[in-house]
Amino acid sequence: MTTPGMFTLQEIQTQPDAWAAVLDAVREQAQAWDTFFARGKDGLTLFFGCGSTHYLSMTAAAVLQTLAGQAARGVPAAELFLLPETWIPAHYQISGVALSRSGTTTETLRAADHLAQRYAAPIAAVTCYTGTPLAERSLWTLVSPEGHEQSVAQTRSFSSMLVGCIALAALAGGQPGYLEKLSALPPMGERLMQHSQALARTLGEDSGIAQVFFLGSGPRYGLACEAMLKLKEMSLTTSEAYHFLEFRHGPKSMVDQGTLVVGLLSDVAREAEAAVLREMNDLGARILVLAEDGAGLGWADHLVCFESQLAELARLPLYLPVLQLFAYHRALGKGLNPDSPRHLDAVVKL
Ligand code: F1P
């Protein structure tokens, strides 16, 4: 006997265990991945995927470029075989990292084949299942052993693949000590979910919220997109994601009393980001801020503080659980089943 949302909730709540498991997997495979990242040094590493895993590709690329100083981009998989010239500069040595929970999405497989055949690119994969068509195409495969899911919408799969990508980027950047810091994430994730569960439910059940905007800069932009997708998939809510300062250039005209703006605050650009949120607050939007600490944020309507003491990139996964829980509660509040969103399948096979 299943109840609506039971798989989604269980997958969200168990994600810290999946983070610990993927870190163990990275430790076991660390040496093997050395050869992959060494190849990216003089070229361009393209991360690619579809839907959630496309958003993951943007964050993973930003993290690799920042931690390892290697040129990297996140690209929707289909663009790599439909319009490769728009993404791939001539004479570059290309490496590909396919991101896919299932390892069976047609576009992702075609992109991997295209990069390998036309650009002689070595292909690596970060996924949640073994023995898939994607794994067959990849010389390096990191499997998030506890990332698999029954729900359509990605939650623990996404965040555990993110943890894996951050750990791999740290290795590529010659920072193996970073992995020990990442080990602090699972207990922090548990604590954070306990502390923010009530807030996620209150916001999720608030029928006064008609639309939601998620704002993030740099590697947090991909996470803002993923939070936006969760809310759409699970709860059929009008939601959009923007880079923080972009929001002033048009989208803010949408702001009204029924708007929630969620800010995924950074440390580096905190002041400029907070200024955007305050401005939207003055225009009537409700504001939820996710930040390392609450200094100077007393004006926010809702605040989630990580208090992690972790480096800025190491704490990226902590933005996700409360936003997933928000989507889950919003779906239930609207009488929807978050486990099986309307019109969607877990994998798109063309
Ligand atoms: C990617 C994906 C999901 C999305 C949808 C269909 O699959 O686009 O992000 O929620 O239901 O599949 P994958 O390649 O990561 O398995």
Side-chain angles (χ1 to χ4, degrees), residues 32-338:
W33 279 83
D34 269 357
T35 49
F36 176 75
F37 286 112
R39 299 187 65 146
K41 276 199 174 104
D42 305 315
L44 174 63
T45 300
L46 294 173
F47 289 82
F48 55 96
C50 297
S52 286
T53 37
H54 163 230
Y55 297 139
L56 178 61
S57 79
M58 293 194 285
T59 297
V63 171
L64 177 68
Q65 186 161 311
T66 310
L67 285 181
Q70 299 188 7
R73 297 287 176 271
V75 187
E79 298 265 309
L80 290 176
F81 57 85
L82 293 175
L83 304 113
E85 302 76 19
T86 35
W87 296 97
I88 304 177
H91 314 303
Y92 266 60
Q93 198 179 304
I94 300 298
S95 306
V97 185
L99 305 174
S100 174
R101 169 176 65 180
S102 63
T104 60
T105 296
T106 306
E107 287 141 271
T108 305
L109 299 177
R110 279 180 69 180
D113 289 343
H114 195 72
L115 288 184
Q117 284 156 20
R118 179 157 159 200
Y119 297 93
I123 302 296
V126 178
T127 181
C128 296
Y129 296 90
T130 52
T132 64
L134 180 60
E136 278 166 25
R137 288 160 167 80
S138 310
L139 294 168
W140 301 261
T141 304
L142 174 65
V143 176
S144 166
E146 296 181 25
H148 50 271
E149 283 162 338
Q150 271 181 272
S151 306
V152 169
Q154 302 196 7
T155 55
R156 79 175 167 205
S157 59
F158 183 98
S159 67
S160 63
M161 287 188 284
L162 171 63
V163 170
C165 287
I166 299 169
L168 290 174
L171 293 178
Q175 304 185 46
Y178 215 89
L179 264 64
E180 292 326 304
K181 295 186 185 133
L182 292 172
S183 306
L185 279 174
M188 282 177 193
E190 297 275 5
R191 199 192 59 204
L192 193 65
M193 280 194 282
Q194 277 163 20
H195 287 176
S196 53
Q197 167 79 16
L199 173 63
R201 184 172 188 157
T202 305
L203 286 176
E205 291 176 350
D206 188 336
S207 56
I209 298 171
Q211 57 176 356
V212 183
F213 295 99
F214 296 93
L215 307 186
S217 308
R220 283 158 301 276
Y221 176 64
L223 303 185
C225 292
E226 168 61 5
M228 170 269 286
L229 186 66
K230 292 294 78 91
L231 204 60
K232 280 195 174 114
E233 288 179 324
M234 287 193 218
S235 77
L236 308 181
T237 300
T238 302
S239 54
E240 300 297 339
Y242 291 95
H243 293 93
F244 263 97
L245 273 65
E246 278 296 298
F247 199 64
R248 289 197 183 101
H249 297 272
K252 76 170 183 183
S253 58
M254 297 293 292
V255 166
D256 58 18
Q257 305 288 331
T259 301
L260 175 70
V261 178
V262 181
L264 284 67
L265 226 61
S266 68
D267 294 348
V268 275
R270 181 173 170 126
E271 221 176 293
E273 294 168 346
V276 175
L277 296 175
R278 282 205 85 152
E279 202 178 311
M280 298 315 135
N281 207 6
D282 291 344
L283 291 176
R286 202 122 51 95
I287 308 293
L288 164 63
V289 185
L290 280 71
E292 172 65 4
D293 63 72
L297 299 172
W299 51 269
D301 299 295
H302 311 284
L303 188 57
V304 173
C305 293
F306 305 141
E307 310 284 1
S308 71
Q309 321 284 334
L310 287 174
E312 198 161 22
L313 296 180
R315 79 174 90 109
L316 289 176
L318 297 177
Y319 289 93
L320 294 164
V322 63
L323 300 180
Q324 297 162 344
L325 285 168
F326 169 49
Y328 162 83
H329 285 294
R330 176 124 179 138
L332 290 185
K334 289 178 76 172
L336 299 166
N337 181 357

